[in-house]
Amino acid sequence: GQNIDQPTEMTATEGAIVQINCTYQTSGFNGLFWYQQHAGEAPTFLSYNVLDGLEEKGRFSSFLSRSKGYSYLLLKELQMKDSASYLCAVRAGNTPLVFGKGTRLSVIA
Amino acid sequence: DGGITQSPKYLFRKEGQNVTLSCEQNLNHDAMYWYRQDPGQGLRLIYYSQIVNDFQKGDIAEGYSVSREKKESFPLTVTSAQKNPTAFYLCASSIGGNDNQPQHFGDGTRLSIL
């Protein structure tokens, strides 16, 4: 089976930088995804990592270390609209994605 | 515009009743998925289908059934055997079931018991 851990909640200030961590245990690792989900809405795709290193997309970046079973999502220049849940999801082999429980981020003024 | 459409947005079920949640996609995706989301539980996989006329059980399939007669459609039936059906149900699709393309989600159906 797979085990995915994320912090349950985080709070950060508008304009700041926040890092949301995700650790996983799986065999046959085949990629890690980050999704954003606003309350009551559908998750939307943010980023994908399969090789070690940093992937940057505007204000959002995602990092992966396969040897450590670790990823993080970095959000820069936080805005109030970034208040949402952030879901880490791992793919093992050819099986469907397994999602973590999500991290609820609150951005405060 | 291409996308995934779930209906209805809100659904109420009476005791002993089966209800069916609709999911339609016009993205020409081969793979489709059903997830259940409860507060603090994240997304849990109910069923998935990688190709027409074939589907597989996910982690919490008991009390649910699906069909995949057309590529575009993957309806989920919540049967009376599902004793705790109140949840947010999300349908998703991806280009293929064995690649690393992201899953795209519908807007969800919120099911409650009367």
Side-chain angles (χ1 to χ4, degrees), chain A residues 1-107:
Chain A
Q2 298 180 52
N3 190 37
I4 301 172
D5 286 312
Q6 307 178 232
T8 303
E9 293 188 36
M10 298 182 71
T11 301
T13 305
E14 192 176 15
I17 299 173
V18 70
Q19 178 175 311
I20 302 174
N21 295 326
C22 172
T23 58
Y24 63 88
Q25 296 170 320
T26 188
S27 56
F29 175 82
N30 195 19
L32 186 144
F33 294 78
W34 283 97
Y35 284 82
Q36 181 191 60
Q37 185 181 25
H38 287 98
E41 297 183 10
T44 55
F45 169 71
L46 289 178
S47 69
Y48 166 68
N49 297 72
V50 68
L51 299 176
D52 290 351
L54 189 68
E55 295 283 340
E56 297 187 77
K57 269 188 184 181
R59 294 190 299 114
F60 293 3
S61 304
S62 58
F63 172 83
L64 176 68
S65 168
R66 290 172 296 170
S67 62
K68 295 181 180 178
Y70 168 69
S71 173
Y72 67 72
L73 181 69
L74 194 70
L75 290 73
K76 302 176 186 175
E77 301 168 20
L78 279 173
Q79 302 175 11
M80 300 300 285
K81 68 178 182 179
D82 296 329
S83 292
S85 288
Y86 291 86
L87 311 178
C88 172
V90 173
R91 188 181 185 95
N94 291 328
T95 60
L97 290 181
V98 174
F99 285 81
K101 294 184 178 182
T103 298
R104 187 161 63 242
L105 174 67
S106 298
V107 180

Side-chain angles (χ1 to χ4, degrees), chain B residues 36-61:
Chain B
R36 170 181 171 140
Q37 188 172 35
D38 297 278
Q41 290 291 323
L43 274 66
R44 293 184 290 169
L45 184 65
I46 304 173
Y47 269 98
Y48 65 101
S49 167
Q50 295 184 335
I51 197 167
V52 176
N53 292 322
D54 187 46
F55 49 83
Q56 308 293 330
K57 291 182 179 180
D59 299 319
I60 55 165

Side-chain angles (χ1 to χ4, degrees), chain B residues 31-102:
Chain B
M32 296 187 74
Y33 313 83
W34 273 106
Y35 292 92
R36 170 181 171 140
Q37 188 172 35
D38 297 278
Q41 290 291 323
L43 274 66
R44 293 184 290 169
L45 184 65
I46 304 173
Y47 269 98
Y48 65 101
S49 167
Q50 295 184 335
I51 197 167
V52 176
N53 292 322
D54 187 46
F55 49 83
Q56 308 293 330
K57 291 182 179 180
D59 299 319
I60 55 165
E62 186 173 349
Y64 300 97
S65 66
V66 293
S67 62
R68 187 87 188 275
E69 297 175 2
K70 298 187 300 181
K71 187 175 186 177
E72 303 81 14
S73 179
F74 192 41
L76 173 75
T77 297
V78 183
T79 74
S80 57
Q82 173 49 247
K83 297 307 179 188
N84 184 24
T86 298
F88 188 45
Y89 290 86
L90 286 160
C91 178
S93 70
S94 62
I95 291 174
N98 295 328
D99 55 34
N100 284 310
Q101 295 297 315

